[in-house]
Amino acid sequence: MARPLFAYFPIPPPTLLIHKKEEVPLLVLLESRQKGLCFFLKMGSLFRGEEMCLAQLFLQSGSEYQCVSALGELGLVEFRDLNQNVNSFQRRYVSEIRRCDEMETTFSYLERELRKAGVQVPESEMSPPAPLPRDAIRMQEESEQLAKELREVSQNRQTLQERLRELLEYANILRESQRFTGPLLESEAQWKDRSEDDPLLDPAVVNKQDLRVSFMAGVIHPWRMNSFERLLWRACRGYLIVNFVEMSEPMEDLVTGESVTQIIFLISYWGEKIGEKIKKIANCFHCHIYPYADDETSRLETLRNLLVQIQDMQKVLLQTEGYLSQVLSRAASALHHWRVSVRKMKHIYLILNLCSVRERCLIGEVWCPVVDLPLLQSALTRASESSGGGGESFCHRIPCAFSPPTLIRTNKFTSGFQGIVDAYGVATYQEVNPAIFSIITFPFLFAVMFGDVGHGAIMFLFALWLVLGENDPKLRRSEDEIFSMCFGGRYLILLMGALSVYTGFVYNECFSRPAVIFNSGWSVASMARANNWTSDSINKLPPIPLNPNITGVFTAPYPFGIDPIWSLAVNRLTFLNSFKMKMSVILGVCHMAFGVCLSVFNFVHFRQIYRIFLITLPELLFLLCLFGYLVFMVVYKWIVLTAEDAEWAPSILIHFIDMFLFTQNPGNRDLYQGQQVVQTVLVIVAILCIPVLLLGDPICLLIQHRSKKDSSHQNRCSLNNGDREALLEDEITVPTGHGHGSEKFDTAEVFMHQMIHTIEYCLGCISNTASYLRLWALSLAHSCLRSCGIW
């Protein structure tokens, strides 16, 4: 499985190659465990994968970097690893890759700082080319210098913010604590009753040494205030007085970024030991303690000095933030260009590590589409000329003994359908790609379940808005995951909405309401005249089905879709159940038969005509003899039987069960003469297809292997010594050592694989047919939910 190293768009996990749109010419590099690194960026055939070849590149020393960069911008090749036995740390360009990693670390730091500051990094539509090595050195110096400046400015700003916070806290402490330590008014009595807001100390006794009181002030988080107060009281045994007051304005926590209203505390205590205990407890609760003078004059002088320092600090901090914004803007303008350039450079060196190093050149092996070989050679020639090297790099095609990777080129319309197919598995090399058929089948099967004119029109208009605005950068770069997924599958949703409108007309439903486009083909008046009904008798009668055998009751079929009169019928669900269930089975059997028929194209392309008779034909007979016959009985019953035959119409389900049991139900009449014989023959043919499917292909492969083995033995006996030497010289040109030598035929493995395939197919025919009944179930559920008003 391919592991993505760098991409600007979601990459599905196919085995070999990626399917890329042609919208934005960005470099895409993938690494595969066995195949190496690859770049892909082109449109092409959708019916079958591109014809691939193995090419050998000779990259001259001095121009190898430019050559790989040119190939990466084209997106035409997939490199193979020619140094699998060499440790990744012992390869030639390890130091350059390490330098790129260091630059990416610097870019990550810049990106974190930009994200923290809320600065958006502008992205350009154009992808910058891979930088030259000398430009990369300059880029590294500029990025490191910018990161150094940003780190210093950020640290200075943080230091200034912490200092400003301390000054503000200290000023608030001195301002708010005046209510506890301020002097009494002269007009008040000396021995009046005191309240909580009165000063703690009488100014007349402040200077007495035997009654001297010390103060300790600070701030504490409001969550810790109650615990702090209880612990102080218990530890100091009441030899203190604690006062708390909220700060006048909240302050931002520099660590968490939260806005918190801190609590100011002022502690009055007696004795030095009590003061030491209080200081230890305050440190345990992470309190910020500030010096608090005993006399009021010193406190007022300190407050005035703090206010001046706060003003000066705010000016310095404002200038620092302005310079920081300049540094961040410089980083934001260059970060995207640097990141893309360094990523390209890193993956170029990873590619070069896959090549084999020679004295004057590097040799690499790549998978390339055959039609793009001239373009590959011209790119190497231009890169060699631009590098100014002495020699010219070139490529030539070499033979290979193993299967090439699969390349399926897509565009903005087919990429969504190809992604759905790739979710189940990527086709083998040169096999038919089923994505071209899923362009119609997938939206149509969805529409069978979602058939409604109104809902389909809403979906269609939403997808049409996305299609018309597909070049809008806001839509293309949306960060919403669900919206981005819808935007990527906009053409898929467009077809789903359009076909839902079509099936809505078939079901004759628009927002769960029937649409009367044409006149109904049923008439109640004719039945009322035949039975001589009056208005009173009609009100007393229970629900009676309309009898089409009465002349004039059923005039003609509805021109298109279901007759709207069924929405008024009591047996509406019974009719819709029968119709949608049979329709689901018919669609499912046709879909599965079409999938089996597609294998004919693969066998013809690979010149395996015998497999058409040993695999395709038995599979098709098994499917059609059983479930195809079920479809035949449904269609035959619709065509042959009329309303007059409704009383004795046979049950198709009972006939299908009796078909497997080789029995006949007397109460269930035959659809046609000789039905029992036909059913018996069909079951026998289906059973006989199983051993053919199980043993035919392995036996044929075994015979082919033995014939090749005998012919190769005869050829070796007829070779002389000169021929053997020539053969050895030819074998040298064939790349070896990649685990794809002469394949050994394992008879048990082949038979086991075919047995698993046979069991899977036979059981899958049954389970898949039942699985297609989901179309019926989900369509019925959708109709019922709309009728209940949930949608």
Side-chain angles (χ1 to χ4, degrees), residues 20-91:
K20 178 64 183 79
K21 306 175 185 178
E22 204 184 25
E23 297 175 355
V24 183
L26 297 178
L27 175 66
V28 180
L29 301 175
L30 302 177
E31 180 180 10
S32 175
R33 295 179 182 177
Q34 298 179 354
K35 304 297 181 181
L37 296 177
C38 55
F39 327 68
F40 296 103
L41 244 194
K42 246 189 149 182
M43 293 180 55
S45 174
L46 188 63
F47 180 75
R48 194 184 300 277
E50 292 283 341
E51 182 182 357
M52 305 291 290
C53 67
L54 186 63
Q56 195 172 50
L57 305 181
F58 288 85
L59 308 177
Q60 299 296 331
S61 297
S63 63
E64 67 276 8
Y65 183 90
Q66 290 80 0
C67 291
V68 175
S69 177
L71 296 181
E73 296 295 340
L74 288 177
L76 296 177
V77 298
E78 175 188 5
F79 278 80
R80 300 180 66 249
D81 191 358
L82 302 183
N83 301 317
Q84 293 183 355
N85 297 327
V86 180
N87 192 299
S88 59
F89 297 100
Q90 297 176 351
R91 301 194 180 188

Side-chain angles (χ1 to χ4, degrees), residues 327-338:
V327 177
L328 290 175
S329 62
R330 286 162 48 198
S333 60
L335 182 60
H336 177 72
H337 181 275
W338 287 349

Side-chain angles (χ1 to χ4, degrees), residues 278-453:
I278 295 173
K279 187 175 295 185
K280 291 180 180 179
I281 295 173
N283 292 331
C284 292
F285 280 87
H286 304 284
C287 300
H288 297 165
I289 302 175
Y290 298 94
Y292 194 84
D294 295 338
D295 59 309
E296 183 181 1
T297 305
S298 300
R299 292 196 295 269
L300 293 176
E301 182 66 24
T302 304
L303 180 60
R304 283 192 292 268
N305 295 333
L306 287 176
L307 295 177
V308 174
Q309 294 180 19
I310 289 173
Q311 292 179 357
D312 296 339
M313 192 66 65
Q314 288 176 344
K315 294 179 181 179
V316 176
L317 182 60
L318 185 62
Q319 295 176 357
T320 304
E321 290 180 347
Y323 181 68
L324 178 61
S325 64
Q326 296 178 4
V327 177
L328 290 175
S329 62
R330 286 162 48 198
S333 60
L335 182 60
H336 177 72
H337 181 275
W338 287 349
R339 184 181 291 276
V340 176
S341 300
V342 170
R343 282 182 176 178
K344 288 186 177 183
M345 182 175 65
K346 177 182 178 181
H347 289 89
I348 288 173
Y349 287 124
L350 289 173
I351 289 289
L352 293 175
N353 276 339
L354 302 179
C355 300
S356 177
V357 181
R358 295 294 185 266
E359 183 178 356
R360 295 183 179 179
C361 68
L362 272 72
I363 299 177
E365 292 182 2
V366 297
W367 292 109
C368 178
V370 176
V371 296
D372 293 329
L373 279 176
L375 187 60
L376 174 62
Q377 180 59 54
S378 63
L380 292 176
T381 303
R382 290 194 303 269
S384 300
E385 293 175 355
S386 63
S387 63
E392 179 181 349
S393 302
F394 62 92
C395 68
H396 68 93
R397 185 173 178 177
I398 59 176
C400 62
F402 39 88
S403 177
T406 300
L407 172 60
I408 300 174
R409 298 176 178 178
T410 61
N411 53 24
K412 59 185 179 181
F413 177 76
T414 59
S415 59
F417 301 96
Q418 189 66 54
I420 295 174
V421 174
D422 291 343
Y424 294 94
V426 180
T428 310
Y429 175 67
Q430 288 287 289
E431 279 189 347
V432 174
N433 181 26
I436 188 173
F437 308 104
S438 67
I439 294 176
I440 294 298
T441 58
F442 184 86
F444 179 73
L445 292 179
F446 170 83
V448 171
M449 299 181 288
F450 197 76
D452 188 278
V453 177

Side-chain angles (χ1 to χ4, degrees), residues 627-677:
F627 302 100
Y629 178 70
L630 176 62
V631 173
F632 165 76
M633 287 193 294
V634 172
V635 177
Y636 183 85
K637 185 177 179 181
W638 282 347
I639 296 175
V640 175
L641 300 185
T642 62
E644 298 176 355
D645 306 325
E647 296 181 356
W648 60 269
S651 173
I652 295 178
L653 182 60
I654 295 177
H655 274 305
F656 194 61
I657 295 174
D658 293 339
M659 176 180 173
F660 289 96
L661 299 178
F662 296 100
T663 59
Q664 184 176 6
N665 194 333
N668 195 35
R669 297 178 59 177
D670 292 342
L671 285 172
Y672 55 89
Q673 292 183 357
Q675 181 179 358
Q676 301 300 322
V677 177

